Amino acid sequence: MPSAGGGMELTMAYIYEEPSRTFSEFLLVPGYSGVNCTPANVSLRCPLVRFKNGETPSLQMNIPLVSAIMQAVSDDKMAVALAKEGGVSFIFCSQSIEEQAAMVARVKSYKAGFVTSDSNIRPDATLRDIIALKEKTGHSTIAVTDDGTSSGRLLGIVASRDYRVSRMTGDERVAEFMTPIEKLVTAPASTALHEANDIIWEHKLNALPIIDENGHLLYMVFRKDYESHKENPLELLDDDKKYVVGAGINTRDYAERIPALMEAGADIFCIDSSEGYTEWQKLTLEWARQHYGDKIKIGAGNVVDADGFRFLADCGADFVKVGIGGGAICITREQKGIGRGQATAVIEVARARDEYFAETGIYVPICSDGGIVHDYHMALALAMGADFLMLGRYFARFDEAPSMRVSVGGSYMKEYWGEGSSRARNWQRYDLGGSDKLTFEEGVDSYVPYAGGIKENIALTLGKVRSTMCNCGAVTLAELQKRARLTLVSATSIVESGAHDVVLKENTLNV
């Protein structure tokens, strides 16, 4: 092309010699497995935020899975369910600041050793008010206080056993059927959590009120929380025994959104953007550090190469998200021709992360986002260097996802739509400094097959990952990345990977 001086300067785009590849183009080659290399011994613990060499990350997960920052995936219900399994949800930010903060607050108050009661009522309220409050909060144990607040003087408790809707009119006053404080077992403010649990078991209680010296309600301790921990040994809790929860933010209203989410209790943030190698993300990260220092934990992305990773790492990102155009509902590649095969992107960024660590002594975790079709792809992504995975379609299939379950052609499905679809209209995610609207779609509106509850599905999926790790001779993710050997597969061997040259019984008719 002509140069500024009038001469001719021949230039052309840089072209990579190797094609970008997807996870389905690779297989893991088994390695030596010792007698101790069993699925039961495998740890999937992984870092969530940056840390210095020799230090322990301030935030870690017990499983390498986070749920995507999407309307159809991550709300407070999903956040609680995934935290119980040891992962983290990033509650979607394509909603008002107030609504998102309220979701975060509900997660933080859902589970703790000592819970601030969110179901409170005055003694002069009616049974009809009790029923309405139960429907609103979902909680059947309601504290009766003199002023109807969570810190009022405790007068009694209303539980499901205290009334029968079918035999009452609804006009009865709470004071008439509540269990009064004289008949309640309570504990003082000095009570430790293990002491509270002992009291609960000794007196066969479902809930134990904690009150101060003046009789004001401080907290509730619930039997179900103790039992929940026993059922979910990997649950991810903060220092106050509350569930860890993440929140998405954008590069437009972060100055208003971050403070509200911090106040609500968010443990970690992630910039929700289709492309992270931008000054917009740098400005967002700089603002966060200026106002909160190292107190705030914030990931950034998405990128697909070493340059993008190093840029965000230098800007102070706590983790870097990898992947453009590989999501099941994403059409960025066909709309704009932008993206890269997910396997190639993860491999290059993981190499850049390790080089950055060698140079600076700072380890910045990477999150693989997109491209996961089969469960074994998760093991491949982790072997290629991903510290953890962000999943949308995978989680959208479950009961805990906020989308509707519908019947399509006789089969149950869950609705699943992209943030770049006309349904979500999350223009901030695709913002390049233009008008405040979504000019064209980069996502679709779709269905995914309904799969049931999250607990049994994650158990099955991660059971496969643990088994794969043992085949590679690894019982930790660090060992997997060190010992894994990957081989490219041909089109023919991909066909060979599945059932072939047989007639499956499920496809035959009984004659």
Side-chain angles (χ1 to χ4, degrees), residues 265-306:
D267 298 281
I268 186 166
F269 299 87
C270 183
I271 301 174
D272 181 31
S273 176
S274 63
E275 214 277 281
Y277 195 3
T278 70
E279 188 173 4
W280 303 109
Q281 297 223 357
K282 179 182 179 181
L283 293 172
T284 304
L285 291 166
E286 287 178 346
W287 184 93
R289 295 295 175 217
Q290 288 169 0
H291 287 79
Y292 295 99
D294 292 334
K295 180 181 178 181
I296 190 171
K297 305 301 178 184
I298 178 170
N302 288 19
V303 300
V304 293
D305 63 6

Side-chain angles (χ1 to χ4, degrees), residues 67-76 78 89-92 103 402:
S67 64
I69 312 169
M70 301 176 69
Q71 296 174 9
V73 179
S74 298
D75 65 353
D76 49 311
M78 177 61 74
S89 281
F90 286 88
I91 292 178
F92 71 94
M103 285 188 180

Side-chain angles (χ1 to χ4, degrees), residues 121-321:
I121 205 162
R122 290 167 53 96
D124 56 355
T126 66
L127 174 60
R128 197 169 285 109
D129 296 322
I130 289 284
I131 296 170
L133 183 58
K134 181 179 178 181
E135 290 179 352
K136 178 182 178 181
T137 66
H139 298 159
S140 58
T141 299
I142 299 173
V144 184
T145 59
D146 59 348
D147 60 2
T149 70
S150 61
S151 58
R153 185 165 56 88
L154 184 65
L155 302 178
I157 293 287
V158 173
S160 298
R161 66 174 180 271
D162 292 318
Y163 59 87
R164 294 186 66 178
V165 176
S166 62
R167 297 190 178 184
M168 301 170 74
T169 66
D171 295 323
E172 293 84 356
R173 299 294 176 181
V174 168
E176 299 172 13
F177 59 87
M178 71 180 186
T179 301
I181 190 168
E182 295 81 15
K183 295 183 179 180
L184 292 176
V185 176
T186 62
S190 60
T191 306
L193 181 58
H194 71 276
E195 293 173 329
N197 285 323
D198 288 342
I199 294 171
I200 286 173
W201 285 96
E202 179 183 350
H203 293 275
K204 300 180 180 180
L205 306 174
N206 289 322
L208 175 68
I210 307 295
I211 59 176
D212 66 14
E213 63 275 11
N214 297 317
H216 289 268
L217 180 62
L218 297 175
Y219 305 105
M220 300 287 287
V221 180
F222 293 95
R223 174 191 289 263
K224 65 179 178 62
D225 288 345
Y226 176 83
E227 294 175 341
S228 174
H229 179 68
K230 294 300 181 183
E231 295 172 0
N232 303 290
L234 295 179
E235 64 182 357
L236 197 60
L237 305 174
D238 64 15
D239 293 338
D240 296 320
K241 306 299 182 183
K242 298 179 181 180
Y243 284 132
V244 173
V245 60
I249 59 172
N250 60 62
T251 57
R252 279 292 184 113
D253 64 9
Y254 54 84
E256 295 79 36
R257 192 173 290 269
I258 289 178
L261 295 172
M262 290 285 284
E263 177 68 23
D267 298 281
I268 186 166
F269 299 87
C270 183
I271 301 174
D272 181 31
S273 176
S274 63
E275 214 277 281
Y277 195 3
T278 70
E279 188 173 4
W280 303 109
Q281 297 223 357
K282 179 182 179 181
L283 293 172
T284 304
L285 291 166
E286 287 178 346
W287 184 93
R289 295 295 175 217
Q290 288 169 0
H291 287 79
Y292 295 99
D294 292 334
K295 180 181 178 181
I296 190 171
K297 305 301 178 184
I298 178 170
N302 288 19
V303 300
V304 293
D305 63 6
D307 292 340
F309 168 83
R310 184 169 287 269
F311 170 77
L312 291 176
D314 286 340
C315 288
D318 279 295
F319 67 85
V320 174
K321 201 141 63 79

